[in-house]
Structure formats: C-alpha cells, structure tokens
Amino acid sequence: MSKVNAKIPEGPISKKWTNHKNNIRLVSPANKRLIDVIVVGTGLAGGSAAATLAELGYNVKAFCFQDSPRRAHSIAAQGGINAAKNYQGDGDSIHRLFYDTVKGGDYRSREANVYRLAEVSANIIDQCVAQGVPFARDYGGLLDNRSFGGVLVSRTFYAKGQTGQQLLLGAYSAMNRQIARGKIQMFNRHEMMDLVKVDGKARGIITRNLINGEIERHSAHAVVIASGGYGNLFYLSTNAMGSNVSASWKIHKKGAYFANPCFTQIHPTCIPVSGDHQSKLTLMSESLRNDGRIWVPKSKSDSVAIREGRLKPVDLTEDKRDYYLERRYPAFGNLVPRDVASRAAKERCDSGFGINKT
C-alpha cells in the first residue's frame, strides 16, 4: 500500500510556509529562460499560474480545452473572493480565515494548505487590483467588502455579481501580455489525452487538437494541471457541461491520488429544475444571502395557498413567517455555511412548508 506524501513542510502551522520559502532552492534569472513548463487549464488557477511563471522568465505552454481562456468555468463564480485584510475592523485575521475555511470545508481540507491560502489571500487581492480587476469600492474609493455565508466577518471582495468573470479577465489580460512577449505559447481547443512520465516525473503531455483531430506531443521540465472540477459526475449541477474531469482522470490513472471525491461544492441558491429539458440547474449568486432574509410560511395551509396561487407571499405578515435559519442558528442566521443552509432548506420543503412543487 503506497502512502500519501503531501510534501507538507515541517514545523508549526504558522511558520511552515515561511520557513519553506526561506530555505527553498532558487533558480537564477539566467537559467529560468532555459526551463519549459506546461500548464493545462486556463481558468483562474491555470491562467494566473501561466502568467506568473512567464513573468518570472520561464517558457510556458498553456493548453485550453475551450475556444478561449475567457470560457473557463471560473467565470461562474459570482459572489466574491475572501481575504483576511480586516478592512472593516471587525476582528478578521489570518487565523480566523484559516479556521472558517477548514470548518466550511467540513474538516476535510488539508490544513497546512488552507493556512497557506489564508496567508497569501491579502496579496492575491492586491495582485488582482494591479491587473485591473474592478472590485467594488465604497464612496471614499477604498475597496469594499460584503458579508458571506459561513463567516461572521465582512471579508469578501466582489465585483457586482460578476466576480469570477472580472477576475478571469484580469488573469487573461496578464496572460495576453506574456503571449505578446513570446513567453507563453497558447494552445486553444486542445484536450489533454495523457500524461508523459520519465523516471517517475511528469515531463510532458499528449493532446488532441480539437479542430483537426490530430494527436500531438509536448515536452517540458514540469507539468501543472489546473483543469478544474468534476461537477458533471452528477446528474444535475450548475457546472458547465464541459467540466468533464478528463484531465484529472488521466493523471489519476498515471498514479496521482484523488482525494475526497465526495467533497463537491453544494449551493443553496439553485433555482429548482423546472422540466426534463434542463441539462443543468440555474444558479443565483450566493451574495443574495448577504443582506436578504430567507423564510417559509409558519403554517402548512399558507404554504398550500401560496402554491395554489390563492395567496401571495407578500401578503403574509411577519408573525406568520418562519425565518428558519435565524431561528435555528441565531449567531449566523442566513450566513450559515452553504451545506447547512441547503440541508435546512430541504428539511423545510420535505416537511411540507415549501411554496413550490419541488
């Protein structure tokens, strides 16, 4: 039985990555231009990785399954991106972001990596602003924050309900700059078919050109897989039909471990499916939970009346409304983690308090 070696640095969690970065071997600028890196995927992870590696001086080959990197599924992120900047002065810190993320991930996340995420979160916002991402600002011109599910502080930076799209355009423009410099070679409409390993290390990929069907091979000193999620495993989800996990499956067959396949993001703001014709669910931004209040009628007879059109929801007075999340979770209210909100909503609907067939 092979044992997982996650290569997590030694030491206390708050010092792990600082010590690691202080002791890691560096590559001189003169040698970086001799090293090739393949990046599979051009969403927020792949696009920013490709742009950053090219900026550092490496030669990058970027592979994109879609027509354009702008079609990556990162575009679907609506509500915002979290960072422990404590702009609101409400007690936020790296530790609180770390704690909330581990808890929100149902304690399934790799804690050292989550701590690193919390550490670099503040810099990521600055990087995005420098790339021209138009985050929302308050009247004084400072970056604004909104509250969000699963946390008790306001740490979410956002751009209307288009945060993912605006971040993706920022990463894409940073990539385009490097493509123009000749540091990134871009391969659109290419699907990764297999990973090439030499002496146990990833040294290249086999791809299919989706325009003419040709099989191609590409070599490099290192391969980065940033190919996105696998929502299409499920009958209905809000993921694009192109989110097909094929690249991840190929590297799994070559020996990469596949952790927590059950740990797929669930969303409490999906509009229920309306008919057989729907191939995927419709997603509303989770930021709707930020300032809104969620309720169902307190009595089943009112629910039936609304369902049959005899009563309008606006006609129900406050005392006849059950704000069930606020009743059950007074500290968080509507800002409970999304799996908690989804289960609570399903329980109310299954108990007959929903105002719709489903």
Side-chain angles (χ1 to χ4, degrees):
M1 180 79 179
S2 50
K3 192 173 171 220
V4 175
N5 176 14
K7 299 185 179 174
I8 293 170
E10 296 295 320
I13 199 160
S14 59
K15 300 273 190 347
K16 277 181 192 294
W17 293 101
T18 306
N19 293 343
H20 178 64
K21 289 197 76 173
N22 287 343
N23 295 302
I24 201 168
R25 291 170 64 190
L26 299 177
V27 182
S28 85
N31 289 337
K32 283 176 183 169
R33 55 194 168 83
L34 306 175
I35 296 176
D36 302 325
V37 182
I38 284 173
V39 179
V40 180
T42 51
L44 281 183
S48 49
T52 304
L53 287 165
E55 184 101 36
L56 288 170
Y58 298 101
N59 306 309
V60 178
K61 285 183 174 181
F63 290 85
C64 171
F65 174 78
Q66 297 94 342
D67 299 302
S68 155
R70 287 180 302 167
R71 289 282 170 269
H73 198 38
S74 301
I75 199 173
Q78 298 178 30
I81 174 172
N82 287 350
K85 279 186 171 292
N86 196 29
Y87 279 176
Q88 304 297 326
D90 52 6
D92 201 6
S93 65
I94 288 172
H95 177 79
R96 283 189 196 277
L97 176 52
F98 160 70
Y99 176 83
D100 288 340
T101 307
V102 170
K103 188 177 168 190
D106 209 21
Y107 303 95
R108 284 172 163 84
S109 316
R110 191 172 283 158
E111 291 184 5
N113 292 4
V114 175
Y115 196 88
R116 181 73 183 137
L117 174 147
E119 273 185 336
V120 300
S121 65
N123 291 344
I124 287 172
I125 300 299
D126 296 337
Q127 177 186 336
C128 295
V129 171
Q131 284 176 350
V133 175
F135 283 123
R137 294 176 182 267
D138 63 22
Y139 288 111
L142 301 174
L143 292 175
D144 199 11
N145 292 109
R146 59 165 49 136
S147 50
F148 219 67
V151 300
L152 293 175
V153 295
S154 295
R155 65 159 72 102
T156 304
F157 295 80
Y158 64 99
K160 290 205 300 186
Q162 317 171 353
T163 314
Q165 180 174 5
Q166 298 301 337
L167 289 168
L168 190 64
L169 289 171
Y172 179 55
S173 25
M175 275 181 73
N176 274 341
R177 180 169 170 264
Q178 300 304 324
I179 291 169
R181 286 182 64 216
K183 294 304 289 181
I184 293 181
Q185 205 179 342
M186 188 71 221
F187 294 87
N188 293 27
R189 300 296 283 153
H190 278 66
E191 182 170 23
M192 175 180 149
M193 305 300 290
D194 212 349
L195 182 76
V196 177
K197 283 168 74 175
V198 180
D199 297 329
K201 293 189 175 178
R203 298 295 195 193
I205 60 171
I206 307 296
T207 63
R208 183 189 295 280
N209 182 327
L210 296 177
I211 302 296
N212 57 24
E214 284 181 10
I215 303 291
E216 303 169 2
R217 59 187 177 183
H218 300 272
S219 65
H221 296 91
V223 179
V224 177
I225 305 289
S227 59
Y230 47 95
N232 261 2
L233 286 179
F234 298 91
Y235 171 60
L236 277 179
S237 82
T238 58
N239 290 271
M241 301 305 282
S243 300
N244 62 11
V245 79
S246 55
S248 303
W249 171 236
K250 297 301 195 306
I251 63 169
H252 176 58
K253 289 206 286 189
K254 288 286 186 179
Y257 289 113
F258 196 51
N260 291 330
C262 62
F263 185 35
T264 299
Q265 166 166 247
I266 185 172
H267 224 292
T269 51
C270 291
I271 301 171
V273 62
S274 62
D276 296 338
H277 62 279
Q278 264 183 278
S279 61
K280 62 194 192 107
L281 294 171
T282 306
L283 181 65
M284 296 184 290
S285 173
E286 200 186 352
S287 60
L288 289 168
R289 293 206 279 149
N290 167 28
D291 294 312
R293 298 178 75 194
I294 302 168
W295 60 275
V296 290
K298 276 184 180 171
S299 92
K300 288 186 183 177
S301 59
D302 286 342
S303 294
V304 172
I306 293 173
R307 202 177 304 152
E308 293 175 351
R310 291 182 282 111
L311 187 65
K312 288 185 177 172
V314 289
D315 296 334
L316 277 193
T317 54
E318 282 289 308
D319 58 324
K320 292 184 178 177
R321 301 179 180 188
D322 176 20
Y323 294 93
Y324 59 92
L325 290 174
E326 296 168 40
R327 170 170 57 80
R328 290 185 187 183
Y329 313 102
F332 281 84
N334 296 303
L335 296 178
V336 291
R338 53 178 64 171
D339 57 323
V340 177
S342 302
R343 281 195 296 267
K346 184 171 187 330
E347 184 279 324
R348 286 287 81 192
C349 291
D350 288 350
S351 301
F353 292 93
I355 48 97
N356 187 293
K357 276 190 297 189
T358 56

